[in-house]
Amino acid sequence: ADPLQATITMQFPDRVLTVGDAIQHLLQQSGYRLAGTDATGPAVAYLMALPVPAVHRSLGPLPLKRALETLVGPAFYLVEDPVHRLVAFERCTMETR
């Protein structure tokens, strides 16, 4: 089964402060990891440093992939590397919306 399709329910602990922290927390038990910041642009680095919105501190039940997409919002899309079990995010363009 695809680990990113696993249904999850998450209440983030108080120590999870940023979007990046939340993504790392979600991926902990999935077998996937977040690609290094050298593989992404400054917009993604900015996104990862943003605080987790209060409305997103509790997620689910929903697939892990959808939880990740919810955290980053509509301006970014998920890029998956199933061979290396990596996820990354890229900024949406007019063509990818």
Side-chain angles (χ1 to χ4, degrees), residues 7-88:
T7 300
I8 60 111
T9 301
M10 178 61 61
Q11 174 74 37
F12 290 109
D14 291 340
R15 64 180 166 74
V16 173
L17 301 175
T18 66
V19 171
D21 292 342
I23 290 170
Q24 294 285 8
H25 191 78
L26 283 175
L27 292 175
Q28 277 180 347
Q29 302 298 316
S30 72
Y32 274 77
R33 56 197 163 93
L34 188 59
T37 54
D38 55 324
T40 60
V44 174
Y46 177 79
L47 168 70
M48 294 299 156
L50 290 174
V52 177
V55 70
H56 292 160
R57 293 208 60 84
S58 180
L59 297 172
L62 73 168
L64 175 56
K65 182 175 181 175
R66 185 70 188 122
L68 294 167
E69 292 168 340
T70 298
L71 283 170
V72 300
F76 294 86
Y77 65 94
L78 177 71
V79 178
E80 177 186 354
D81 177 352
V83 172
H84 299 104
R85 293 224 172 162
L86 291 171
V87 294

